[in-house]
Amino acid sequence: MPKKIRDKVNDLLNSEEEIANVIVKGWVRTRRDSKGGFSFLEINDGSCLVGIQVVADHNLKSYQAVAEHLHTGSCVAITGKLVASPGKEQKWEVHASEIELYGSADAEKYPLQKKRHSFEFLREIAHLRPRTNTIGAVMRVRNRLSYSVHKFFQDRGFLYLHTPIITASDCEGAGEMFQVTTLNLDQPPMNNGKTDYSQDFFGKKTALTVSGQLEGEIYAMALSDIYTFGPTFRAENSNTSRHLAEFWMVEPEMAFYDLDDDIDLAEEFIKFLLKDVLENCQQDMEFFNKRIDKTILQTLTGIVDCDFERIHYSDAIHMLEKSSEKFVYSVEWGCNLQSEHERYLSEKVFKKPVVIYNYPEGIKPFYMKMNEDKETVRAMDVLLPKLGEIIGGSQREDDLDALTARMKEKGLDPKEYWWYLDLRRYGSAPHSGFGLGFERLVQFVTGMENIRDVIPFPRTPKHASF
Ligand code: 4AD
Ligand code: MG
């Protein structure tokens, strides 16, 4: 048995019986003093949403010694007895026999005095916001979702692959990469009027990855079913509630899957994650349902039980063109769908998740497999009500000539991707995969309005505080 450091609040609140000797360590959320000579402290240690009530007798010596420094935000260790609480709010409370103050928090200055704060304000104190109910609940749900991402794939025999963060290739071809360099940017070495990257750290131009897919494909062409789950970076100047410059992505890549198999896996994956959270994060989910989005439990339960709608891109365009809805961006065949279109289809038309597939080749990256019509590629996006796109994926082009031709059309130099083309040269196989934006998932599950509030330290244009 490891040494006992303290009793976690969550364990005490779920106790089946009184316990003669417990030690609670945590932060004071509230303090109330009664006329009868007692103080009631609510202590939270992050192990669950609610805190445990501690009753401290004013005659207690160790209490008298610290009482004037014991405010909201202070950190304490409390020894005492776990007993049934007479109050209606909680089953158990702790009667203190000894109180030790680890660190006080000046009541005049501690920024989290008030009960409620705006999320904008909390973003400015990203070092203290984990002590709020909402951010605590978000991070517990985020933690559970990470666990169940691994559980889903491990249970199905997928291999967890660590793909590189620094890369020399732009997977999505959108040129939205953060450059990585050790060159002196004030005076870079030049060659024929251009920066001489042969003198850079890696001897070539490199950047932070936008996706682990290309490296994932390499391993799928040997180990058949793999997934990545790691940070990705996009230097896109999107100041929306659904975009981050640094976000986490889950990317499975499967040999021998075609586009339909890929969509089946994506649907099963989303349902698995939602069901798991509903079963294992009940208290936090009830909190979100009460305070953040009153329909969230109903929405998630509905999705677990439904069949996702699957429609061709061309049919989606047709529906949008026919609709009487006023969109900011008009649609025509060949255009990228905007979030307003995606939400309209999933929220208003189908009222459930929608998978759109077979997109025009012109708006999709070079690696997607061309359909026989030569106009569309085997791409798919999964759209969720209120959120829009959560997953983007495709069957990959596995024909060497077709892939080379498509690269050239997109202005990519096949020589730079010789290793990617080798996969089609030696033992090529049909294969598919997708990428799920992990923060979008956490956002959807919790009902949080802004993606910046579901990642511990959000990075967005002009914002990267510590
Ligand atoms: O659709 P995307 O760009 O697809 C890829 O990167 C493929 N290489 C994935 C693959 O097939 N292996 O991104 C995948 C998902 C999106 O559906 C979205 O959920 C999320 O990543 N995403 C973002 N999330 C937060 N902030 C951003 N700036 C995001 N960009 C994409
Ligand atoms: Mg996409």
Side-chain angles (χ1 to χ4, degrees):
M1 274 289 275
K3 187 178 130 208
K4 179 172 131 180
I5 309 283
R6 42 91 193 226
D7 294 289
K8 290 204 177 182
V9 169
N10 190 39
D11 295 337
L12 296 182
L13 292 175
N14 288 314
S15 178
E16 310 252 294
E17 54 195 8
E18 300 206 342
I19 306 174
N21 197 1
V22 298
I23 306 179
V24 176
K25 298 186 178 185
W27 291 265
V28 178
R29 278 291 173 82
T30 55
R31 167 180 167 179
R32 188 165 55 80
D33 295 335
S34 81
K35 292 210 183 75
F38 291 97
S39 284
F40 298 89
L41 306 169
E42 190 201 333
I43 309 296
N44 187 292
D45 67 0
S47 59
C48 56
L49 181 73
V50 293
I52 193 156
Q53 170 158 290
V54 169
V55 186
D57 189 328
H58 290 172
N59 293 321
L60 205 64
K61 272 228 164 53
S62 61
Y63 180 71
Q64 281 168 8
V66 300
E68 64 172 312
H69 304 291
L70 215 58
H71 313 291
T72 298
S74 307
C75 188
V76 290
I78 287 158
T79 308
K81 210 158 79 177
L82 186 76
V83 296
S85 171
K88 268 194 270 166
E89 305 260 308
Q90 64 275 323
K91 190 168 162 210
W92 300 109
E93 61 187 28
V94 171
H95 289 180
S97 53
E98 186 155 349
I99 297 190
E100 184 187 346
L101 179 66
Y102 281 144
S104 181
D106 189 336
E108 299 287 310
K109 296 191 182 138
Y110 183 57
L112 296 177
Q113 283 299 341
K114 267 196 322 170
K115 269 255 160 186
R116 290 224 188 178
H117 302 271
S118 73
F119 291 123
E120 287 79 7
F121 170 75
L122 291 176
R123 267 172 236 147
E124 286 165 21
I125 48 166
H127 59 303
L128 294 173
R129 70 174 187 167
R131 297 187 194 180
T132 61
N133 279 340
T134 308
I135 301 297
V138 167
M139 294 308 152
R140 278 185 299 273
V141 166
R142 185 182 168 108
N143 170 67
R144 180 72 208 186
L145 285 167
S146 313
Y147 171 80
S148 63
V149 163
H150 286 294
K151 182 156 172 46
F152 179 83
F153 289 117
Q154 294 292 330
D155 285 354
R156 285 159 183 74
F158 282 59
L159 182 133
Y160 179 32
L161 185 75
H162 299 115
T163 47
I165 305 251
I166 299 175
T167 170
S169 45
D170 182 358
C171 174
E172 295 307 292
E176 291 168 336
M177 302 184 89
F178 289 101
Q179 208 176 317
V180 172
T181 180
T182 51
L183 293 178
N184 177 355
L185 292 181
D186 294 327
Q187 241 178 348
M190 304 296 281
N191 187 359
N192 282 333
K194 284 188 172 167
T195 306
D196 182 7
Y197 285 107
S198 70
Q199 295 189 44
D200 204 348
F201 190 89
F202 296 104
K204 55 161 78 161
K205 200 171 172 182
T206 54
L208 297 177
T209 188
V210 295
S211 158
Q213 178 197 321
L214 302 187
E215 294 90 350
E217 283 186 56
I218 294 179
Y219 272 78
M221 286 297 98
L223 304 172
S224 56
D225 289 341
I226 64 96
Y227 69 105
T228 72
F229 183 7
T232 47
F233 307 86
R234 301 219 176 161
E236 51 185 329
N237 199 6
S238 307
N239 259 305
T240 78
S241 59
R242 298 177 311 117
H243 286 88
L244 290 165
E246 175 179 308
F247 64 98
W248 287 62
M249 196 170 8
V250 182
E251 294 182 276
E253 190 71 34
M254 298 75 65
F256 320 122
Y257 274 50
D258 65 14
L259 185 65
D260 286 334
D261 304 327
D262 199 34
I263 299 174
D264 288 345
L265 187 77
E267 177 168 343
E268 194 190 343
F269 183 42
I270 290 181
K271 288 177 177 171
F272 177 90
L273 295 170
L274 302 193
K275 187 159 182 273
D276 181 81
V277 137
L278 286 169
E279 282 168 6
N280 292 289
C281 299
Q282 279 176 9
Q283 194 177 54
D284 289 324
M285 287 311 302
E286 271 156 29
F287 170 81
F288 291 121
N289 201 56
K290 201 163 140 204
R291 300 296 271 278
I292 303 293
D293 175 352
K294 295 204 163 22
T295 61
I296 196 72
L297 287 177
Q298 194 192 336
T299 305
L300 302 190
T301 314
I303 292 178
V304 170
D305 296 330
C306 82
D307 289 328
F308 292 12
E309 193 67 36
R310 301 179 185 199
I311 55 168
H312 276 236
Y313 168 89
S314 302
D315 294 335
I317 291 294
H318 198 61
M319 279 174 202
L320 291 165
E321 279 173 339
K322 272 197 333 210
S323 129
S324 53
E325 190 88 1
K326 291 233 167 350
F327 296 118
V328 179
Y329 296 89
S330 61
V331 285
E332 58 176 351
W333 199 94
C335 77
N336 253 319
L337 294 184
Q338 300 293 326
S339 152
E340 56 174 347
H341 308 130
E342 299 176 339
R343 289 187 52 175
Y344 170 75
L345 292 171
S346 56
E347 248 162 85
K348 304 224 169 121
V349 180
F350 296 107
K351 301 188 172 57
K352 62 179 179 175
V354 178
V355 184
I356 300 186
Y357 64 103
N358 287 348
Y359 280 82
E361 71 84 24
I363 54 169
K364 290 291 181 187
F366 71 94
Y367 53 72
M368 297 185 176
K369 187 162 183 66
M370 188 69 84
N371 275 315
E372 271 146 27
D373 62 14
K374 300 273 182 256
E375 283 190 328
T376 60
V377 285
R378 290 190 197 163
M380 64 97 164
D381 276 2
V382 181
L383 318 177
L384 295 180
K386 289 193 201 142
L387 184 83
E389 178 188 340
I390 184 157
I391 280 180
S394 64
Q395 183 169 341
R396 318 308 188 187
E397 184 56 79
D398 52 357
D399 180 86
L400 180 63
D401 294 337
L403 182 59
T404 313
R406 191 123 189 282
M407 278 181 157
K408 286 186 185 153
E409 268 167 39
K410 299 254 172 202
L412 298 174
D413 182 359
K415 279 202 214 81
E416 302 252 324
Y417 291 85
W418 61 274
W419 47 275
Y420 191 69
L421 292 166
D422 261 6
L423 301 176
R424 281 72 183 168
R425 212 169 263 131
Y426 308 121
S428 189
H431 63 288
S432 304
F434 62 79
L436 170 135
F438 188 64
E439 283 72 22
R440 294 213 183 152
L441 171 74
V442 182
Q443 204 186 347
F444 183 72
V445 165
T446 56
M448 294 293 287
E449 285 269 321
N450 198 309
I451 198 164
R452 295 163 204 216
D453 301 323
V454 301
I455 184 164
F457 303 101
R459 272 83 180 91
T460 52
K462 303 274 181 288
H463 287 96
S465 53
F466 52 86

